[in-house]
Amino acid sequence: MTTGQRIAQKRKEAGLSQETLGAELGVSRQSIYKWESDTALPEIDKLVALSRRFGVTVGWLLGVEEAPETASAPDSGELTDAQLKMVEEITARYIAALPAPKPRKKWPYVLAALMVLYAAHRAYQSIDRQFDGVYSRIGQMDSSMSNQVYSISGQVEEILKQQNSLTVDYGIELVSADLVKNAVTFSVYAVPKTYVEGMRVEFSVDNGHSSNSKTVLSEPDQNGQPVSEKFSTELTCELTDDISITAVFVMPDGTRQTQPLQTYSGLYSGSLPDVASLVDADLQGRAQIENGKLTLPDAMEYALTLNTKLDNILIPRTKAVSIRVGLFKNQRLVAWARPISADEQTRYRGFNNATFYRLEPLSFPFAAGDILESAAVLTDEYGREVICPDWFPLTLDSDGQTLIFPGSTGSDTVDAYSIDTDISHWTFK
């Protein structure tokens, strides 16, 4: 299980809603939602507070210990005997690991010790002074130990990479992107570690939907004779979010050896316009549900801000020439909101660079299991569309009268929900 799943499990076992748990910890319900959906990790002091509230160890919440502790944690500021024992055990592992001749096998215990001890130090300043010496020692050794671990792992990774590589050199450059055709072209070369006269190289590019390959001989010299140093070509494919480039070295006898060269992630998404924030004027609080219908008795406003940051530097983000904001039920359009001027909006202050939209009063059927989402549909100058849903969808609670976040209580009808940004899954009519 992930940390989020463990938090959700213990919260439901305790009969707590996300709102109630958030109030106990001094955070918002949205924070609990993000923790449980693994889109954010609790801060260290919150992890310790969660461990005390549920009577489990921090190690179990983080997945470094298998079985949770079942004893309830007290409300005082002191650590329980069980927690003290846990800290002592992990501290002992840490100290024992320091002189070990093979530190790579010990470093998971070291990191676990640092995490738990630092959490205890942050959350409970009144912990017994017997651990002060341990904290001091860890503080002095933390930096050097981390540097050694990362240095060793980096060296090992580089050695293995060189040993397994079929090339002594290669290079890939994105030379052009044709967004009208939604295509991208790469220039690629490779120099084999072992050259055999008559060998060839098959370069291929795969975008997750299709692949394109070219077979090339080594580059000729000035006299037109083959040389062993370099094979090169250009490859074009449809622009997607997952592109990989591979070289296959083919010997004269037909023996084939494959060498992955490079992968690109998020090129397509990073080139599309994007929404930084889409804020509604309390859809959850304004909606009224009665007799299987959801009603918005008053007009509701949205404030939308576009994302101007670059996700990648290879293909700049395009501009949105059309923006539509709408309310969707089960990814099917309920109604579009109409654009309004900044002077017309009445519910927002301080939203610089935002555009505003107003959703008129409406009523439509809404039942258990339905998902309500606000979303923006952006179209760029090349005619490409992208869907940008709000990150906090709503569903019907078991009381049949209130809207809640999916998975926010143990009684709602939808236990889990993933935000779907595949525009082909949405209906706009």
Side-chain angles (χ1 to χ4, degrees), residues 5-22 32 36 54 407-411 415:
Q5 290 170 337
R6 291 170 186 255
I7 294 172
Q9 173 188 318
K10 287 300 176 183
R11 173 181 62 77
K12 292 179 180 180
E13 288 178 0
L16 300 173
S17 66
Q18 288 183 336
E19 185 174 11
T20 301
L21 179 58
I32 304 296
E36 294 185 353
F54 297 142
S408 60
T409 73
S411 60
D415 293 329

Side-chain angles (χ1 to χ4, degrees), residues 141-170:
M141 296 182 178
D142 180 19
S143 177
S144 62
M145 178 61 68
S146 298
N147 290 337
Q148 291 178 28
V149 169
Y150 288 123
S151 176
I152 292 172
S153 63
Q155 292 175 27
V156 171
E157 182 180 354
E158 185 60 31
I159 291 172
L160 291 175
K161 182 178 179 180
Q162 292 177 2
Q163 289 178 344
N164 295 327
S165 177
L166 301 174
T167 65
V168 292
D169 186 25
Y170 71 87

Side-chain angles (χ1 to χ4, degrees), residues 137-263:
R137 184 175 181 183
I138 288 177
Q140 295 170 1
M141 296 182 178
D142 180 19
S143 177
S144 62
M145 178 61 68
S146 298
N147 290 337
Q148 291 178 28
V149 169
Y150 288 123
S151 176
I152 292 172
S153 63
Q155 292 175 27
V156 171
E157 182 180 354
E158 185 60 31
I159 291 172
L160 291 175
K161 182 178 179 180
Q162 292 177 2
Q163 289 178 344
N164 295 327
S165 177
L166 301 174
T167 65
V168 292
D169 186 25
Y170 71 87
I172 300 173
E173 181 183 1
L174 193 157
V175 294
S176 66
D178 187 340
L179 298 184
V180 174
K181 297 180 179 179
N182 196 47
V184 62
T185 299
F186 299 92
S187 173
V188 55
Y189 75 85
V191 179
K193 184 178 293 185
T194 302
Y195 175 77
V196 177
E197 186 175 355
M199 71 183 297
R200 63 185 188 275
V201 177
E202 294 178 3
F203 291 104
S204 64
V205 57
D206 190 316
N207 63 13
H209 305 301
S210 61
S211 62
N212 180 29
S213 63
K214 287 185 179 180
T215 300
V216 296
L217 300 176
S218 59
E219 289 187 344
D221 61 16
Q222 293 181 351
N223 298 320
Q225 299 299 316
V227 295
S228 61
E229 285 80 6
K230 196 174 184 181
F231 295 78
S232 64
T233 190
E234 285 192 352
L235 296 168
T236 299
C237 70
E238 179 187 357
L239 178 60
T240 67
D241 277 335
D242 297 293
I243 295 176
S244 60
I245 299 176
T246 303
V248 179
F249 296 91
V250 185
M251 299 300 176
D253 63 359
T255 303
R256 302 169 63 88
Q257 294 179 298
T258 301
Q259 175 71 58
L261 298 181
Q262 190 162 330
T263 60

